[in-house]
DNA sequence: TTGCCAGCAATTTTT
DNA sequence: TTGCTGGCAA
């Protein structure tokens, strides 16, 4: 069974063999973090005779959870299905679906996403006669709930005005929000965690039961936990028993903590050894991802931070091409440069362009498309967030939980059925006055409206759907909604009707797929959608994603890697962002963001900045990012506008002839260098594969994508 | 009830 | 610059 260890480096091996008690794995970027956790779990099962039903692994994203499950299945086979691998939020939801009544939840409760949350907030602001925008109040909600403190505690330290409203009144908004959520049988993402904590604190019996399913706990990306997740983890881990502390292994990298603005607290990981005395610390510092040149830049940048645990990434891939720096006269030229360079490189699927703010994507996309480069924009509007998809889903939410007033309002006149704003107003007002649910009021429309027919017809429709919700799976249910409401026909009338229709069909397909793979009720489907919202983005485009250049924010890039990375807009006020300049903690988070961007690159890294950029239609002059000055100049190679030649930067306008052959053009007879095997001669190149003769090693078939081959003359 | 236009604000956003 | 909201006219 030592195949569990033989493929690992010494530090990884030690972490994998850790048995009982708390442990912190400080896992640098590209150091084989997931691999280590997966092997550790396998090791527990095989060598320590731990039951799969006693292992919990928590991640932040569904993607990470999915990946871990998959790798575990490959590693330990069938018993993987007994392991509990999930996100914080789905774990909490699963618990609350079973024990929710202990904390006052009704059985059909729904999970509200950001959008629903904002709608409810707006409604409350209106009800209180406030003109304010919901934004600041959303932030207030998040702060109160993410920190897991009460309202009064928050108010004590809050500024006098929130969103232009005295803080006492803002507090009233919060109270109304909470009451509104409960009355509608709704919870938000934060509630999932907060109510789980409440459940555990009030019901020791339940906690004890859950703990049996979680005797060995792993928390991934621990640097991104907020105070609520911290407390939940602590509760699950329990107190030290008889010498050995809790069997809690947290994994993360303080240098990649970039969600402070979401109330993630880097101190959770920094202080782990104080919180859990006797914790063992394992450091994974060997980086398998990036070349030495790239890591040198990364290390130089991050060591300027004070809030960190000492750590230096060592590269396994020695050498590598120098990191290139390009200075553009303006943002347009920067985008043009990126596009030109990418066209030269080819292999679009291996390239990512990363930026600080979404607004930067536009110019880049424009120039790339103009150059005939297919583009994949990550993190635009998520599929489940499209209006028409949300509309259809709202029918499901209401059918499962008729108390859900927000979603009921959403579908009341969607598609239009003659229930206009004034009618809706009357109905909602009546509901507020009498304290009845909106659904209840709809049923009594006759006495309230002069022309109740449309509402009555709608109520009838709803009642049918309520029944359908019990009888059918999600796919069939949505079909019925579409048929009964004339949804498709209504969409066809709209401007983007065709596209929206396609999205509807996509939802049906997703529902059918889900029934096949997971199976379950409409309610289960809605749960899974609520917790996945952003993840799935069916790509229907000209080119498949693997042939497209990826464009995304630095935040979205965390956890990913690409052979070639362009990091653009490295300017003061952009990275670091203007709003993060005043506090040192914020500035360090910006630096980490830069660091995360750098460490995404495997082989080639381009940095760029523009001396002039239009912001909101106004021209602004910018200075290069202070982070660039932190990089020793000898680690960077400044390049001119036409690419990779040592042209003085000032000469960016001078046409530069000599195009460099792009990666991927290998021919027989050519001399190449491989990061591990050294020098060799190309024997054959076919598709994405090259066969190379290495003296002393023989013939090697290499995937171009991963090999990191370099031509030498 | 719908549709259009002026006015305004504008990081990042795993769940 | 864009994209959304609220107010008002048809």
């Amino acid at each position: 069974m030592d195949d569990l260890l033989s493929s690992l480096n010494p530090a990884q091996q030690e972490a994998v063999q850790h048995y009982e008690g708390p442990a912190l794995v400080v896992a640098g970027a590209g150091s084989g973090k997931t691999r280590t956790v997966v092997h550790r779990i396998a090791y527990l099962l095989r060598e320590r005779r731990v039951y799969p039903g006693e292992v919990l692994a928590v991640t932040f994203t569904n993607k990470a959870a999915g990946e871990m499950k998959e790798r575990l299945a490959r590693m330990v086979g069938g018993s993987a299905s007994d392991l509990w691998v999930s996100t914080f939020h789905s774990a909490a939801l699963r618990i609350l679906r079973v024990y929710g009544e202990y904390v006052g939840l009704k059985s059909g409760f729904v999970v509200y996403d950001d959008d629903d949350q904002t709608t409810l907030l707006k409604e409350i602001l209106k009800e209180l006669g406030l003109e304010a925008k919901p934004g600041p109040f959303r932030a207030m909600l998040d702060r109160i709930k993410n920190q897991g403190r009460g309202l009064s505690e928050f108010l004590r330290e809050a500024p006098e005005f929130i969103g232009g409203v005295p803080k006492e009144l803002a507090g009233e908004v919060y109270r109304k929000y909470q009451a509104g959520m409960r009355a509608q049988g709704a919870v938000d993402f934060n509630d999932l965690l907060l109510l789980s904590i409440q459940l555990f604190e009030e019901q020791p019996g339940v906690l004890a039961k859950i703990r049996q399913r979680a005797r060995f706990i792993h928390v991934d990306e621990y640097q991104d936990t907020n105070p609520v997740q911290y407390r939940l983890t602590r509760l699950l881990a329990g107190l030290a028993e008889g010498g050995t502390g809790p069997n809690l292994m947290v994994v993360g990298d303080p240098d990649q903590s970039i969600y402070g603005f979401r109330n993630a607290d880097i101190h959770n990981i920094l202080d782990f050894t104080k919180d859990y005395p006797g914790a063992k610390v394992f450091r994974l510092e060997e980086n398998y991802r990036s070349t030495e040149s790239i890591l040198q830049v990364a290390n130089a940048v991050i060591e300027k931070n004070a809030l960190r645990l000492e750590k230096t990434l060592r590269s396994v891939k020695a050498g590598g091409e120098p990191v290139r720096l390009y200075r553009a006269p303006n943002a347009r030229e920067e985008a043009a440069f990126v596009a030109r360079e990418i066209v030269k490189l080819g292999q679009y699927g291996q390239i990512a362009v990363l930026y600080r703010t979404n607004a930067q994507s536009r110019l880049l996309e424009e120039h790339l498309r103009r150059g005939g480069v297919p583009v994949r924009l990550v993190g635009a509007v998520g599929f489940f967030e499209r209006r028409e998809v949300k509309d259809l889903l709202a029918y499901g939410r209401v059918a499962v939980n008729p108390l859900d007033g927000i979603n009921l309002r959403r579908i009341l006149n969607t598609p239009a059925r003659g229930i206009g704003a004034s009618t809706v107003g009357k109905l909602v007002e009546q509901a507020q006055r009498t304290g009845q649910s909106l659904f209840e009021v709809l049923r009594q429309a006759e006495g309230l409206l002069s022309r109740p027919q449309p509402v009555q017809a709608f109520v009838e429709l709803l009642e049918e759907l309520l029944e359908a919700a019990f009888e059918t799976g999600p796919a069939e249910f949505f079909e019925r909604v579409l048929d009964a409401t004339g949804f498709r026909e209504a969409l066809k009338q709209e401007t983007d009707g065709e596209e929206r229709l396609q999205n509807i069909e996509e939802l049906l397909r997703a529902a059918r797929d889900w029934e096949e793979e997971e199976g379950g009720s409409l309610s289960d489907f809605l749960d899974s959608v609520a917790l996945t919202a952003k993840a799935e983005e069916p790509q229907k485009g000209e080119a498949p994603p693997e042939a497209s250049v990826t464009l995304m924010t630095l935040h979205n890039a965390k956890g990913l890697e690409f052979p070639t990375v362009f990091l653009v807009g490295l300017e003061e006020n952009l990275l670091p962002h203007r709003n993060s300049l005043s506090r040192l903690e914020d500035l360090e988070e910006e630096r980490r963001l830069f660091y995360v961007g750098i460490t995404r690159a495997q082989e080639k890294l381009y940095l760029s900045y523009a001396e002039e950029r239009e912001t909101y239609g106004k021209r602004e002059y910018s200075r290069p990012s202070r982070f660039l000055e932190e990089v020793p100049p000898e680690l960077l190679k400044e390049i001119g506008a036409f690419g990779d030649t040592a042209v003085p930067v000032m000469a960016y306008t001078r046409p530069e002839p000599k195009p460099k052959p792009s990666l991927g053009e290998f021919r027989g007879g050519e001399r190449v260098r491989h990061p591990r095997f050294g020098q060799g001669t190309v024997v054959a190149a076919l598709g994405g594969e090259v066969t190379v003769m290495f003296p002393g090693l023989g013939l090697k078939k290499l995937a171009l994508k991963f090999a990191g081959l370099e031509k030498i003359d």
Side-chain angles (χ1 to χ4, degrees), chain A residues 102 248 262 320 324 408 434-435 443 457 477 493 520 535 577 588 698:
Chain A
Y102 285 119
L248 169 66
R262 295 271 276 127
R324 297 166 176 87
L408 182 49
T434 61
R443 282 180 153 146
F477 175 85
Q493 307 296 314
H577 194 271
E588 292 208 343

Side-chain angles (χ1 to χ4, degrees), chain A residues 21 27 30 87-88 137 245 278 405 459 468 481 548 611 651 668:
Chain A
T87 64
F88 268 109
F137 298 92
V459 170
V481 174
S548 310
E611 299 180 304

Side-chain angles (χ1 to χ4, degrees), chain A residues 70 76 78-79 194 200 205 258 260 263 273 285 288 332 366 383 408 412 480 525-526 532 547 559 631 643 684:
Chain A
E70 213 171 277
V76 305
S79 53
L194 288 169
F200 290 159
I258 55 174
N263 297 299
T273 48
E285 297 176 295
Y288 296 91
R332 203 165 290 280
E366 216 176 277
F383 175 70
L408 182 49
L412 203 43
R480 285 203 205 177
F525 176 72
L526 294 171
T532 326
V631 182

Side-chain angles (χ1 to χ4, degrees), chain A residues 427 430 436 439-449 459:
Chain A
L427 294 165
Q430 172 76 358
Q436 290 171 299
F439 186 55
E440 208 53 48
V441 173
L442 291 184
R443 282 180 153 146
Q444 303 151 17
E446 203 168 0
L448 201 70
L449 303 171
V459 170

Side-chain angles (χ1 to χ4, degrees), chain A residues 91-352:
Chain A
L93 179 57
R94 185 168 143 191
I95 290 166
L96 291 174
R97 282 278 173 227
V98 179
Y99 302 104
E101 57 183 318
Y102 285 119
V103 286
L105 288 178
K106 294 165 193 159
S107 68
F109 72 89
V110 294
V111 182
Y112 271 13
D113 62 19
D114 290 11
D115 217 48
D116 302 320
Q117 237 178 312
T118 309
T119 312
L120 177 59
L121 259 185
K122 279 191 204 159
E123 215 166 88
I124 289 166
L125 290 173
K126 210 162 156 194
E127 199 186 319
L128 289 171
L130 299 173
E131 293 277 303
K133 298 240 143 153
F137 298 92
R138 283 277 337 252
M140 170 184 77
L141 277 181
D142 274 349
R143 257 239 289 305
I144 298 174
K145 299 183 108 171
N146 277 325
Q147 297 184 345
R149 308 187 307 171
L151 172 63
S152 49
E153 206 177 324
F154 169 80
L155 285 179
R156 214 174 305 142
E157 290 165 25
E160 284 310 306
F161 287 87
I162 293 164
V165 157
K167 66 177 175 183
E168 289 72 24
L169 197 51
E172 187 57 23
V173 174
Y174 176 79
R175 269 190 290 270
K176 275 194 174 289
Y177 170 85
Q178 289 293 74
M181 291 293 280
R182 286 305 162 276
Q184 303 191 51
V187 297
D188 59 32
F189 289 134
N190 293 322
D191 286 332
L192 290 172
L193 307 183
L194 288 169
L195 289 170
S196 297
I197 289 177
Q198 191 191 333
L199 173 72
F200 290 159
E201 284 175 347
E202 293 173 1
Q203 305 290 332
V206 173
L207 177 56
K209 245 187 206 165
I210 302 292
R211 274 202 195 142
Q212 285 177 5
R213 287 287 282 111
R215 281 195 51 226
F216 289 86
I217 302 171
H218 307 76
V219 181
D220 193 18
E221 307 278 14
Y222 191 70
Q223 78 280 357
D224 288 331
T225 48
N226 67 25
V228 174
Q229 287 151 345
Y230 169 84
R231 261 171 74 191
L232 196 55
T233 304
R234 239 187 131 74
L235 271 168
L236 276 174
L239 303 168
E241 310 141 5
T244 68
N247 302 321
L248 169 66
M249 176 179 272
V250 305
V251 187
D253 179 3
D255 293 338
Q256 294 183 69
S257 166
I258 55 174
Y259 283 97
F261 69 96
R262 295 271 276 127
N263 297 299
D265 188 352
I266 191 173
H267 294 284
N268 289 347
I269 192 165
L270 296 180
D271 297 341
F272 184 81
T273 48
K274 273 180 243 157
D275 285 339
Y276 295 90
K280 287 235 181 76
V281 179
F282 305 97
R283 284 168 205 273
L284 310 185
E285 297 176 295
E286 237 170 287
N287 174 293
Y288 296 91
R289 179 185 295 155
S290 312
T291 64
E292 194 178 359
S293 328
I294 293 169
L295 284 185
Q296 281 175 342
V297 174
N299 284 330
V301 166
I302 201 63
E303 76 186 13
K304 299 287 189 296
N305 266 10
L307 276 182
R308 62 188 303 249
L309 299 172
E310 211 47 55
K311 160 172 75 52
T312 305
L313 283 183
R314 291 185 303 268
S315 61
V316 171
K317 294 187 196 170
E321 298 177 32
V323 173
R324 297 166 176 87
L325 173 66
Y326 175 62
R327 170 175 69 172
N330 57 53
R332 203 165 290 280
E333 288 298 321
E334 181 187 44
F337 163 77
V338 169
R340 261 197 321 269
E341 205 62 24
I342 285 177
V343 168
K344 262 195 262 170
L345 288 169
Q347 309 252 28
Y348 300 146
Q350 304 189 10
I351 302 174

